[in-house]
Amino acid sequence: MSAPGDDGRARPRVRTGSGLVEGRVDAHGSAVFRGVPYAAPPVGALRFAAPAPPVAWEGVRDCGAFGPTAPKVPYEHTFAALLPDPQIPGDDCLTVNVWTPDPAPATRLPVMVWLHGGAHTRGSSAVPVYDGAAFARDGVVLVSCNFRLGVLGYGLFPDAPANRGLLDQIAALEWVRDNIAAFGGDPARVTVFGESAGAISIGALLAAPRAAGLFSRAVLQSGAPEALPRDKVRAMVRRMASLLKVKATAKAFADTPLPDLLAAQAAVLHKSSPLVGGAAFGLVIDPNTLPEDPLEAAARSEVPLLLGWTTEEYRLWLAPTGAMRLLDRLGPLALWLARFRSGKDRADVRALRAALPGASPAELAGQLLTDSLLRDPLRTLAGARRAAPSHLYEFAWPSGVPGLGACHALELGFVFDTLGVPEASWLAGPDTPQALADEMHSAWVRFAVTGDPGWAPWDGNGPPRTFGGPETKEERVEEPRATRRVLP
């Protein structure tokens, strides 16, 4: 159904379980609905509670714009120049967005649900690079969602449920199960996909009993299933409580003004890093939400997987901060520190030197950490699975921003086919190859539709399917140096 808007153009309408929503039609003719509630606003008594059902509304709800983003602290300036992260004020942040080529219940198209990254503390579905228009253009119903972040989503308290961000994601998938047919989607053909913390979340969804049956395929981009030690997550809460001078309980934190809470969170986050370790916000083993190790559960799962990494993940964390120069100055000490952090031995270093002749100490140290955090567990997962196939990939195209190489998150504009979005160039630089986006985006669509991305499942031997490569760098027409951002 549809109705005319103020501009005279027809606006699509769909009835959800909570009420009627009105969207917009994009340039491709697809219907787009933004900011549709899947749960009640997490405020007041619900700030640290499990997600509650959305409040029904009368009449028509305008869903032409993204809803509020989950409360978060901004990236530090070095990363804010590379990673777009809009902040939209408001309390009603537990919402989904839907792009569909045909909002009719009889259509029954495959569905893809996107979980954004951001170290469990940042990001949102409103990032322009995550626009779902290309998926809808290619016959897929694309759903993206917001969920609670940082201490609100993952802080561990004695008087609140653990893993609230995960519970939000499950509630969003339950909304998809119950409502997506009205948007033209098939609730029996749902593929979840996510990057970084979003991929880690999918690892947890594979292990969470309540998520069983909510999706049939999964894509893990640059994130391996993991659960953090409870003490590591609890330490973040204790540090915040010390700064706020309150008890380390959900009640005390709920009584604290949100700006004060976020300021304390920013202070404790400043001391943590994906590479260096330390206390962090993340998923924990919990009898009610995540009862077993996600990596072990994913290995037994019957859900087909597409999983992989970028060639130089570490460069996103090390290059913008100048840490690459520091590690090169440290020389052998940098390698010793990386070995200590990653659990690697001298034989691993020798093998890496042989594979990367001429690599600097910083590059070797960064790659050791990348292998430990991502490649090794993802390969282990793919090799251990027997009940369902696993397709491995590697994204090797180097960014046009000097110093970044084939870094973490670089593949996102290619997967979403959004290289034309201005924010995509923040990380990828100029002159991105559209043919590579066509190739990668098509593989993701094919996996969602058929379960086969276009290459054989991994059998434990040989390299993963590679997208792009260093040779592409030589073909790029460089901008004048004065107009380019240069990283250390």
Side-chain angles (χ1 to χ4, degrees):
M1 83 182 81
S2 63
D6 295 338
D7 55 4
R9 298 180 62 187
R11 292 184 177 177
R13 289 183 174 180
V14 169
R15 184 166 295 281
T16 72
S18 301
L20 196 63
V21 294
E22 182 176 87
R24 301 291 187 273
V25 176
D26 69 11
H28 299 287
S30 299
V32 187
F33 302 82
R34 297 178 175 91
V36 183
Y38 69 82
V43 295
L46 295 178
R47 180 182 279 184
F48 292 98
V55 179
W57 57 86
E58 298 291 335
V60 181
R61 186 182 181 106
D62 185 3
C63 291
F66 288 113
T69 51
K72 57 188 172 179
V73 296
Y75 283 111
E76 296 179 10
H77 73 279
T78 49
F79 297 106
L82 299 169
L83 303 172
D85 194 17
Q87 297 209 37
I88 303 172
D91 294 327
D92 203 357
C93 64
L94 299 184
T95 60
V96 297
N97 317 293
V98 182
W99 285 259
T100 175
D102 187 0
T107 311
R108 296 282 167 161
L109 295 169
V111 180
M112 296 186 74
V113 179
W114 169 249
L115 301 183
H116 67 79
H120 302 294
T121 56
R122 297 177 174 95
S124 79
S125 61
V127 172
V129 176
Y130 305 156
D131 188 281
F135 284 103
R137 177 200 67 201
D138 295 335
V140 171
V141 177
L142 192 284
V143 180
S144 59
C145 63
N146 291 337
F147 38 87
R148 280 172 286 183
L149 303 168
V151 70
L152 300 173
Y154 300 96
L156 193 55
F157 299 95
D159 54 339
N163 301 321
R164 293 172 300 281
L166 178 67
L167 292 177
D168 291 346
Q169 293 161 2
I170 293 172
L173 287 168
E174 290 172 338
W175 183 94
V176 170
R177 177 196 62 197
D178 298 339
N179 293 277
I180 205 62
F183 293 84
D186 185 349
R189 287 198 293 164
V190 175
T191 298
V192 290
F193 70 127
E195 185 266 347
S196 193
I200 293 170
S201 296
I202 291 171
L205 289 170
L206 290 166
R210 188 174 149 188
L214 294 177
F215 56 94
S216 54
R217 299 184 182 111
V219 183
L220 285 73
Q221 299 172 213
S222 300
E226 69 172 18
L228 299 181
R230 293 176 71 92
D231 287 348
K232 192 173 186 177
V233 180
R234 185 75 173 138
M236 296 293 270
V237 173
R238 291 195 183 101
R239 291 176 186 177
M240 288 181 63
S242 177
L243 290 173
L244 294 165
K245 296 181 171 49
V246 299
K247 292 182 178 179
T249 64
K251 182 182 184 309
F253 275 45
D255 291 339
T256 301
L258 188 58
D260 295 344
L261 209 57
L262 293 177
Q265 178 175 297
V268 299
L269 284 175
H270 186 67
K271 299 179 180 179
S272 66
S273 158
L275 287 185
V276 234
F281 290 115
L283 295 150
V284 296
I285 300 297
D286 170 71
N288 298 312
T289 56
L290 189 59
E292 63 174 314
D293 180 83
L295 192 60
E296 294 178 4
R300 297 195 315 272
S301 170
E302 298 180 2
V303 174
L305 299 183
L306 170 58
L307 60 166
W309 51 79
T310 70
T311 302
E312 299 168 296
E313 300 269 3
Y314 63 91
R315 285 187 174 273
L316 179 64
W317 298 301
L318 298 182
T321 61
M324 295 286 288
R325 288 196 303 262
L326 173 62
L327 290 173
D328 278 335
R329 285 199 300 269
L330 292 175
L333 179 57
L335 284 177
W336 183 88
L337 291 170
R339 278 183 50 210
F340 176 78
R341 171 80 177 94
S342 64
K344 300 287 186 177
D345 57 25
R346 288 188 176 89
D348 295 315
V349 176
R350 286 194 297 271
L352 197 57
R353 283 189 189 278
L356 300 172
S360 71
E363 290 168 333
L364 292 170
Q367 201 61 62
L368 284 173
L369 294 168
T370 292
D371 289 351
S372 173
L373 289 172
L374 292 172
R375 289 190 185 193
D376 292 350
L378 288 174
R379 282 182 183 273
T380 298
L381 171 59
R385 284 165 53 83
R386 298 291 180 269
S390 297
H391 299 266
L392 279 184
Y393 77 89
E394 178 171 330
F395 184 80
W397 182 81
S399 169
V401 179
L404 283 185
C407 70
H408 189 70
L410 182 59
E411 86 284 5
L412 292 172
F414 296 83
V415 167
F416 278 86
D417 191 10
T418 50
L419 297 180
V421 172
E423 290 83 354
S425 66
W426 294 12
L427 199 62
D431 304 306
T432 46
Q434 180 59 44
L436 182 55
D438 295 341
E439 182 184 10
M440 199 168 195
H441 173 76
S442 296
W444 265 237
V445 170
R446 182 173 172 174
F447 180 73
V449 175
T450 69
D452 177 7
W455 63 92
W458 198 58
D459 62 1
N461 297 297
R465 166 72 162 83
T466 301
F467 289 95
E471 66 280 359
T472 315
K473 197 172 187 178
E474 299 173 2
E475 300 168 5
R476 185 186 294 112
V477 178
E478 299 283 12
E479 285 186 287
R481 189 171 181 84
T483 67
R484 295 162 56 204
R485 289 172 296 144
V486 179
L487 296 176

